[in-house]
Amino acid sequence: MAVTQARTMPGVLELLPLDQVAFQSMLDAVRRNFERFGFLAVETPVMEFSSVLLTKEGGETERQVYFVQSTGALQAAKDGEVPELALRFDLTVPLARYVAEHEHDLVFPFRRYQIQRVYRGERAQRGRFREFYQCDIDVIGKDALSVRYDAELPAVIYAVFRDLDIGAFTIQINNRKLMRGWLEGLGLADAERQAAVLREVDKLDKRGVDAVRETLTGEAFGLSADAVAKLLDFVAFRSTSLADALAKLASLGTGSEALEQGRAELVEVLNLIKAFGVPESHYALNLSIARGLDYYTGTVYETTLNEHPQIGSICSGGRYENLASHYTKSKLPGVGISIGATRLYWQLREAGLLKGGRSTVQALVAQMDDAELPRYLALATELRSGGINTEVVVEPGKLAKQFKYADRAGIRFVLVLGSDEIAKGTVTVKDLRKQDQFEVARSELVEALRVEIEQATVMPA
Amino acid sequence: MAVTQARTMPGVLELLPLDQVAFQSMLDAVRRNFERFGFLAVETPVMEFSSVLLTKEGGETERQVYFVQSTGALQAAKDGEVPELALRFDLTVPLARYVAEHEHDLVFPFRRYQIQRVYRGERAQRGRFREFYQCDIDVIGKDALSVRYDAELPAVIYAVFRDLDIGAFTIQINNRKLMRGWLEGLGLADAERQAAVLREVDKLDKRGVDAVRETLTGEAFGLSADAVAKLLDFVAFRSTSLADALAKLASLGTGSEALEQGRAELVEVLNLIKAFGVPESHYALNLSIARGLDYYTGTVYETTLNEHPQIGSICSGGRYENLASHYTKSKLPGVGISIGATRLYWQLREAGLLKGGRSTVQALVAQMDDAELPRYLALATELRSGGINTEVVVEPGKLAKQFKYADRAGIRFVLVLGSDEIAKGTVTVKDLRKQDQFEVARSELVEALRVEIEQATVMPA
């Protein structure tokens, strides 16, 4: 029979088992910390009605949408007709639809997390994905939502990335009201022009200072060289401590209502982040953070790895006025963050920052004598009841080959129950990671392995 | 602004937060037990190339497939052309593609689990889903795979459903070789006719004995009344113990090669299942289990709830000769099972078998005095470090309202840190589930809550 070539579509990240273990352990850490902070899981269908999904007028994401048609719908489709269903391109629109649909059944402030895949028809390119995981948390208020929640999200970000143990990081914080107010002080009163300028500021990292200066003093913007110099000087500020950040904010002088509001919010948020348990070393006021999307109206966040700035922001978000104006007349202000887990995993792997090669299988019971199989199976049942993930070699084979299998499969412990051990009531444990071995009474085996495993997974301080 | 009605497509199960907790806890238990037995996680993209997915000739599932098109592909599409991409309709075809594609990077026997959603354009109907979770495990051999693995899968099923704690269940086991051999003894030698008869036997639960008898004695099959009576008598057998099952198999007398092979496999599998730790009360030989799909060639499984037979099989599967003949010339025999988690959850909920109403949030720190907020936050940080999922009421509000919130949100513990408690260095714990309260030294709080939580989550024996 002719065979079809087995291949996946471009732009997806399909992982081999040991890489999948590393990726899953990243998602697990994200979920664990989201739940620690009292966020509730939500999952939405991968498809939404196109009429629900595509409410915004022709943005970039809309051009990237994937449409879905059942076999019947495909056959009945007319030219130029928009298919009824489409795949979600983010988790924000489904959240808005979910909250609007279930508004009367939810308890507000509604604290939800969502870890699911989203779909975008990106141009095929290294590091660009058409299917990727997003890990989002949002707190949604009914009518109003205290700015105090803006201080809680950095605490969640801190807990997640500390747990992931991927090196020093900084949560960068700014406030769009402050930025707008400061631009007013510079003579830029028009909201649309302000937004356009902030979008340019947002490109500083990618385009560099000179290119942005040229754009802002060029025809399209027509800002004076002096104003642009002031602006670039202003947005260059990064606080070195909480006191430094507060001093900078105090030094801005009296300003417009927007500036005063933004400053008051920042002062409260920056102070409270510390009370939420985030060390000063891990967050900063960064006046260049603008977040391109006009969607954000107050606090904005980005998170960067201190040693790997080229990776860019690994967790971003902010405060918005109204989540679901397309679907409900209720006012639902919120604050949220998002981690693009697939891209983050890929970048960390590229940068060599991931510990790989470890299986979820913790122990392999070796096969020494086929007649003793029931004994090996009973040992495995004991281990599993004790919470140890265990595989049994069920067929006879050379011991060296069994060790090679365990090594290649990333299994740490091989358990040997030979006639000696059976006579003595012991088990010999070969620790392939430590390249060590020990013999232990069978009644103490589970506890001994647990101790070894726990030592290897102590959370970073 | 006009609002768009927020609604999901029909045929999906979107859950409110507390239901999602129950569902997620089911998926977690499935995953935990899959990993306990040393199965490795695999995830595949939701889309496959249509040319890869649709290799079988026009089956039912193929007519139910959802096709996917990017905006660009939709515009360029020609009438009658099959779109390039489609959503997976099960996890077996993607597994076959995965194993064929990554064959040289995998370690065999390859033990994989996969817990993901699949898509079928089913007719909209109560209890029928267009998007649903499947939880699959398979062991794939290269060239050959010992029948001993056929005895391991029931041990995994047993562990999963014991952990889910949904009442007594029985893993029903049969072997298609035995059935084919027995039909040969009845004079039915043609493989296609045998398969057709087994498909009718598979319908016994749904159609009843009389309807099946009528079909088998009718024109299409043309079996004698005597042969059908013998067949219906034979397939009515359910073993009451391992000895009973072995005695029945021994009583079949000498038969064709297929019967002898099937019997030998069943004897080995039934004996070994016990060695794998499954009590005799939880598995049985059931000679009516045929599994409609010709795909299965040896051992077949179904699992039913003893008290709720109307739910049908909650976990099915079997042995197959060759996983991926469409994609590779390598011979890859395997054995696997699948749990349709969305449907199972829905059925258990309908049957009132689920404990609901519990949040993943374990503790709520109440807000007594706004000036003490940093103290509440510090307490929450302590609890979270101790592994307790904790939410803080960050804004002032009546205490009664805070308790009402916790109750509605399914949070078990409310922690009160008033001026009395602060003075004494204690915390008052209100246990909403037990409707009880106690005061504990702050330094002992985490441990006290852990003990309470662990008591509530002790695994069933």
Side-chain angles (χ1 to χ4, degrees):
Chain A
M1 192 173 66
V3 300
T4 306
Q5 195 199 341
R7 62 199 177 98
T8 44
M9 58 179 279
V12 299
L13 189 68
E14 182 169 85
L15 301 172
L16 286 170
L18 293 194
D19 290 333
Q20 182 66 35
V21 170
F23 181 66
Q24 189 61 51
S25 118
M26 195 173 114
L27 289 190
D28 287 344
V30 170
R31 177 183 162 195
R32 182 170 57 240
N33 284 286
F34 285 179
E35 292 189 349
R36 279 284 180 281
F37 277 82
F39 288 82
L40 296 167
V42 159
E43 290 200 334
T44 64
V46 75
M47 299 179 224
E48 297 277 352
F49 282 120
S50 302
S51 57
V52 168
L53 204 59
L54 306 174
T55 49
K56 292 179 196 162
E57 289 86 28
E60 171 76 6
T61 33
E62 179 148 349
R63 282 194 301 276
Q64 295 184 338
V65 85
Y66 281 107
F67 291 100
V68 178
Q69 288 173 299
S70 67
T71 309
L74 184 73
Q75 282 158 358
K78 294 192 187 76
D79 266 2
E81 208 176 36
V82 175
E84 196 187 16
L85 299 167
L87 300 182
R88 61 170 168 244
F89 50 78
D90 68 10
L91 301 179
T92 305
V93 177
L95 171 66
R97 195 267 308 145
Y98 182 94
V99 175
E101 184 170 346
H102 305 293
E103 195 176 333
H104 301 293
D105 294 310
L106 299 177
V107 186
F108 292 91
F110 177 49
R111 307 160 64 81
R112 92 84 172 78
Y113 80 84
Q114 188 168 359
I115 299 179
Q116 289 194 292
R117 293 173 172 200
V118 304
Y119 298 86
R120 290 183 196 173
E122 293 268 7
R123 216 150 38 86
Q125 199 181 332
R126 223 180 120 69
R128 286 264 177 191
F129 297 101
R130 291 175 177 171
E131 174 184 67
F132 56 96
Y133 270 97
Q134 281 199 334
C135 312
D136 281 23
I137 50 174
D138 288 83
V139 186
I140 311 293
K142 189 84 176 260
D143 300 320
L145 184 75
S146 163
V147 74
R148 290 175 176 181
Y149 291 101
D150 298 32
E152 184 178 20
L153 295 203
V156 185
I157 301 174
Y158 171 70
V160 167
F161 289 106
R162 199 187 57 156
D163 200 354
L164 287 179
D165 196 19
I166 52 174
F169 58 89
T170 306
I171 305 163
Q172 324 252 359
I173 296 163
N174 200 4
N175 186 298
R176 289 199 37 132
K177 285 179 197 157
L178 180 92
M179 296 306 285
R180 290 201 294 107
W182 192 85
L183 289 173
E184 281 169 26
L186 203 69
L188 242 102
D190 180 65
E192 299 229 344
R193 269 188 89 202
Q194 287 176 356
V197 168
L198 289 182
R199 276 195 294 276
E200 289 307 309
V201 167
D202 203 37
K203 295 175 191 163
L204 271 170
D205 278 350
K206 271 183 208 151
R207 299 187 61 210
V209 174
D210 292 342
V212 170
R213 183 189 292 116
E214 206 171 306
T215 303
L216 290 175
T217 53
E219 258 180 63
F221 286 88
L223 296 180
S224 72
D226 179 53
V228 173
K230 275 187 185 157
L231 173 64
L232 292 175
D233 179 58
F234 182 72
V235 300
F237 179 80
R238 315 278 181 274
S239 69
T240 54
S241 67
L242 176 54
D244 185 39
L246 298 175
K248 177 69 181 183
L249 290 174
S251 77
L252 296 180
T254 314
S256 68
E257 196 187 329
L259 185 132
E260 295 302 339
Q261 266 192 23
R263 172 157 55 193
E265 288 180 10
L266 269 174
V267 168
E268 180 164 6
V269 168
L270 292 169
N271 275 309
L272 209 52
I273 289 174
K274 202 178 168 182
F276 262 106
V278 184
E280 283 188 36
S281 54
H282 283 71
Y283 69 102
L285 173 63
N286 177 338
L287 295 176
S288 79
I289 303 298
R291 303 301 304 149
L293 294 168
D294 296 341
Y295 180 63
Y296 295 113
T297 50
T299 311
V300 282
Y301 319 96
E302 291 191 355
T303 311
T304 47
L305 293 174
N306 299 359
E307 310 293 327
H308 303 274
Q310 81 287 354
I311 286 181
S313 178
I314 55 176
C315 177
S316 311
R319 157 71 70 147
Y320 40 89
E321 283 299 307
N322 201 353
L323 174 72
S325 60
H326 289 295
Y327 313 120
T328 170
K329 293 194 181 297
S330 303
K331 198 185 165 199
L332 301 167
V335 58
I337 53 156
S338 182
I339 302 172
T342 301
R343 185 151 184 270
L344 175 61
Y345 168 83
W346 183 83
Q347 286 170 317
L348 294 175
R349 198 174 70 173
E350 292 285 302
L353 291 174
L354 285 179
K355 297 181 206 70
R358 297 185 178 186
S359 177
T360 40
V361 187
Q362 295 162 319
L364 181 74
V365 179
Q367 159 85 259
M368 311 291 291
D369 175 359
D370 204 36
E372 298 290 355
L373 182 61
R375 211 182 278 272
Y376 307 142
L377 296 178
L379 180 67
T381 301
E382 248 178 77
L383 288 162
R384 289 170 187 143
S385 298
I388 311 235
N389 297 342
T390 307
E391 182 180 339
V392 181
V393 182
V394 296
E395 284 196 289
K398 283 186 184 153
L399 196 57
K401 213 177 145 195
Q402 297 180 41
F403 276 102
K404 204 177 147 194
Y405 168 78
D407 192 48
R408 215 183 139 200
I411 302 170
R412 183 172 166 192
F413 300 107
V414 180
L415 306 184
V416 177
L417 196 60
S419 49
D420 275 13
E421 285 91 352
I422 291 172
K424 285 191 283 180
T426 62
V427 177
T428 297
V429 179
K430 306 251 186 185
D431 184 335
L432 300 189
R433 196 170 302 155
K434 284 193 181 167
Q435 302 215 312
D436 196 7
Q437 74 172 66
F438 58 92
E439 198 173 336
V440 61
R442 183 156 161 181
S443 59
E444 287 159 24
L445 175 64
V446 167
E447 194 49 34
L449 292 183
R450 274 189 174 171
V451 167
E452 290 289 337
I453 289 164
E454 263 165 41
Q455 278 174 357
T457 54
V458 170
M459 295 234 308
Chain B
M1 192 169 71
V3 301
T4 306
Q5 195 200 342
R7 61 198 179 99
T8 44
M9 58 180 278
V12 298
L13 189 68
E14 182 169 87
L15 301 172
L16 287 171
L18 291 193
D19 290 333
Q20 182 65 34
V21 170
F23 181 67
Q24 188 62 49
S25 118
M26 194 173 116
L27 289 189
D28 287 345
V30 171
R31 176 183 163 196
R32 181 169 59 240
N33 284 287
F34 285 178
E35 293 189 350
R36 278 285 179 278
F37 278 81
F39 288 82
L40 295 167
V42 158
E43 290 199 334
T44 63
V46 76
M47 297 180 227
E48 298 276 354
F49 282 120
S50 302
S51 57
V52 169
L53 203 59
L54 306 174
T55 51
K56 293 178 196 162
E57 288 87 31
E60 172 77 4
T61 33
E62 180 149 346
R63 283 195 300 276
Q64 293 184 340
V65 85
Y66 281 107
F67 291 101
V68 178
Q69 288 175 299
S70 66
T71 310
L74 183 74
Q75 282 157 1
K78 293 189 189 80
D79 267 0
E81 207 176 37
V82 175
E84 196 187 15
L85 300 168
L87 299 183
R88 59 171 170 244
F89 49 79
D90 69 10
L91 302 178
T92 304
V93 178
L95 171 67
R97 196 266 309 145
Y98 182 94
V99 174
E101 183 171 348
H102 305 293
E103 195 177 333
H104 301 293
D105 295 311
L106 299 177
V107 186
F108 292 91
F110 177 49
R111 307 160 62 79
R112 89 88 173 75
Y113 79 83
Q114 187 168 357
I115 300 178
Q116 289 195 289
R117 293 172 172 198
V118 304
Y119 298 86
R120 289 184 197 173
E122 293 268 7
R123 217 149 39 84
Q125 200 180 332
R126 223 177 118 70
R128 285 264 176 193
F129 297 102
R130 292 175 176 171
E131 174 186 68
F132 56 96
Y133 270 98
Q134 282 198 337
C135 311
D136 281 22
I137 52 175
D138 287 83
V139 186
I140 312 295
K142 188 83 175 260
D143 301 320
L145 183 75
S146 163
V147 74
R148 291 177 175 182
Y149 291 102
D150 299 29
E152 185 179 20
L153 296 202
V156 186
I157 300 175
Y158 171 69
V160 166
F161 290 106
R162 199 187 57 155
D163 201 353
L164 287 179
D165 196 17
I166 52 176
F169 57 91
T170 305
I171 305 165
Q172 327 251 0
I173 297 165
N174 198 4
N175 187 299
R176 290 202 33 132
K177 285 177 198 159
L178 179 92
M179 296 305 285
R180 289 202 295 110
W182 193 86
L183 289 175
E184 280 169 28
L186 204 68
L188 241 100
D190 180 65
E192 297 229 343
R193 267 188 92 201
Q194 287 176 357
V197 168
L198 289 182
R199 275 195 296 275
E200 290 308 308
V201 167
D202 203 37
K203 293 176 192 160
L204 272 169
D205 278 350
K206 271 182 209 149
R207 299 187 60 209
V209 175
D210 292 341
V212 170
R213 183 189 293 116
E214 203 171 312
T215 304
L216 289 175
T217 52
E219 258 181 63
F221 286 89
L223 297 180
S224 72
D226 178 54
V228 173
K230 275 188 187 157
L231 174 63
L232 291 176
D233 179 59
F234 181 73
V235 301
F237 179 80
R238 316 276 181 276
S239 69
T240 54
S241 67
L242 176 54
D244 185 38
L246 298 175
K248 175 71 181 181
L249 291 174
S251 76
L252 296 181
T254 314
S256 69
E257 197 189 328
L259 185 132
E260 294 304 338
Q261 267 192 26
R263 173 159 51 193
E265 288 180 11
L266 269 175
V267 169
E268 179 165 5
V269 167
L270 292 170
N271 275 309
L272 209 52
I273 288 174
K274 200 176 171 186
F276 263 105
V278 184
E280 282 187 39
S281 54
H282 283 72
Y283 70 101
L285 173 63
N286 177 339
L287 294 176
S288 77
I289 304 297
R291 303 302 302 147
L293 292 168
D294 297 340
Y295 180 64
Y296 295 113
T297 51
T299 311
V300 282
Y301 319 97
E302 291 191 356
T303 311
T304 47
L305 293 174
N306 299 0
E307 309 294 328
H308 302 272
Q310 80 288 356
I311 287 182
S313 177
I314 55 176
C315 177
S316 312
R319 157 73 69 149
Y320 40 87
E321 282 299 305
N322 202 355
L323 174 72
S325 59
H326 288 294
Y327 313 121
T328 172
K329 294 196 182 293
S330 303
K331 198 184 166 201
L332 301 167
V335 57
I337 52 156
S338 182
I339 302 171
T342 300
R343 186 149 182 272
L344 176 60
Y345 167 83
W346 183 83
Q347 286 170 315
L348 295 175
R349 198 175 67 174
E350 292 286 303
L353 292 173
L354 285 179
K355 297 181 205 70
R358 297 188 177 184
S359 176
T360 42
V361 186
Q362 297 161 315
L364 180 74
V365 179
Q367 160 85 259
M368 312 291 290
D369 173 0
D370 204 36
E372 298 290 355
L373 180 61
R375 210 182 278 271
Y376 307 140
L377 297 177
L379 180 67
T381 302
E382 250 177 75
L383 289 161
R384 289 170 187 145
S385 299
I388 308 221
N389 297 340
T390 307
E391 182 180 340
V392 182
V393 182
V394 297
E395 286 194 287
K398 282 185 185 155
L399 196 58
K401 214 177 145 193
Q402 298 180 39
F403 276 101
K404 204 178 149 192
Y405 168 79
D407 190 49
R408 216 183 139 196
I411 303 170
R412 181 170 167 194
F413 300 107
V414 179
L415 308 183
V416 177
L417 196 61
S419 49
D420 275 12
E421 285 90 352
I422 292 171
K424 286 192 281 179
T426 63
V427 175
T428 296
V429 178
K430 306 251 185 185
D431 185 336
L432 300 190
R433 195 168 305 155
K434 285 194 183 165
Q435 302 213 312
D436 193 9
Q437 74 171 65
F438 58 91
E439 198 172 337
V440 61
R442 183 157 161 180
S443 58
E444 288 159 23
L445 175 64
V446 167
E447 195 48 35
L449 292 183
R450 274 190 173 171
V451 167
E452 290 288 337
I453 289 164
E454 264 165 41
Q455 280 175 355
T457 54
V458 170
M459 296 230 311

